[in-house]
Amino acid sequence: MLKAAIVGATGIVGQQFLVALNKHPWISIAALAASERSAGRSYREAITDPKSGALRWFCEEPPVEEVMELPVQNAIEMDTDGINLIFSAVESEQAKILEPAFAAKMPVISTASAFRYETDVPVLIPGVNSEHARLIEKQRKGRRWQGFITTQPNCTTTGLAITLKPIYQNFGIRAVVMTSMQSLSGAGRSPGVLGLDIIDNVIPFIVGEEEKVQRATQKILGALERGSISPAAFNVSCTCTRVNVKEGHTEAVFVSTAEKCSVEDVIKAMKKYASVLSDSGLPSAPQQMIVIHDDPFRPQPRLDRTTEDGMATVVGRVRPDGVLPNGIKYVLVSHNTKMGAAKGAVLVAELLIKEGYIR
Ligand SMILES: NC(=O)c1ccc[n+]([C@@H]2O[C@H](COP(=O)([O-])OP(=O)(O)OC[C@H]3O[C@@H](n4cnc5c(N)ncnc54)[C@H](OP(=O)(O)O)[C@@H]3O)[C@@H](O)[C@H]2O)c1
């Protein structure tokens, strides 16, 4: 059994890590860390609101009792003796400082954006670009680290990249236009989104998000050639908005393909690709990466985000688009804190364990 530490364990993604690793067959939770504010308390105390006494637990699953009395350490001085890997769920500014210090000694799988665009750091989605894991060798050598950093895509990119993969593979892509309707949990707990700002409202801007989606999509679908990634050669244009949904990002996607294809061709390609991980033996892998509905009222975040325990991207409304050349359009829902963050990161760890990068 490998021993993991979760850094940023008290946050929204950190809590999802506790759930994703609860009773995991290969990885156990051995240490929890967060900021100086939480350090020195039990996990239960650290997530209890000091004024009201309420437990600030955000997952739909109940709190993971097995780790509630574990002490929370100050991440910057965390004891890493006996730890085999780190899951990092802190904001980018903290990740910039903490992650290289950990990676000098051990593998770090990060949900933060701090290292996402470095040329020697893979942005992994198993089944989409598993081969990019080979960048780890280059990174270790170049940085003289015993460990390494791999990053998750930002949560808005995950479902987009997964659904574009079979289209790109089969028909090529000229351009992608996407509008997201992103959930509140995507903004994290601190600062998060204030209730009064989002009730009866849509917020039309998320700082930095559109650039992240554009760059990460090209990197994930890029080709690993002679030790570096050549980004996929199509442009992505997007508008990212925040809506009053707790969990699950919805995206309206328009794709201009290189080769002409019908709606039926696209659905067939997605269905064929969907089982890419079904025989992988990875404990967190979905049987189906993509689940397609023909009911025009699906997907909806409330109905569909937990499909395959939040690990499937749910697609509906696949139809022709008459404005873009060779246009196809569809709507997707992807669970931003499961496949889009913590459980997706656990899936990456499983792939890297299977391939011998983590021992
Ligand atoms: N939310 C999502 O849907 C989502 C999806 C994909 C990726 N991400 C990324 O995942 C990361 C975490 O996001 P989140 O939504 O979980 O944020 P969050 O709810 O605000 O949690 C932030 C965590 O970071 C800790 N922290 C703050 N300052 C720290 C410091 N100086 N040293 C160590 N730990 C510190 C906090 O600990 P305290 O409790 O002690 O303050 C808390 O555990 C971010 O990089 C985010 O961009 C989020």
Side-chain angles (χ1 to χ4, degrees), residues 20 68 73 93 118 129 155 175 183 192 213 284 310 340 349:
M68 292 300 275
Q73 303 183 48
E93 305 89 84
E118 304 263 326
N129 65 347
C155 45
S183 72
V213 175
S284 302

Side-chain angles (χ1 to χ4, degrees), residues 8-14 34-35 37-38 75 89-92 94 98 111-112 155 185-186 188-190 336-337 340-341:
T10 52
I12 288 185
V13 175
S35 78
R37 294 179 290 279
S38 306
V90 292
E91 287 302 330
S92 185
Q94 288 101 43
L98 292 168
T111 60
C155 45
S185 61
R189 201 195 52 175
S190 48
N336 54 294
T337 59

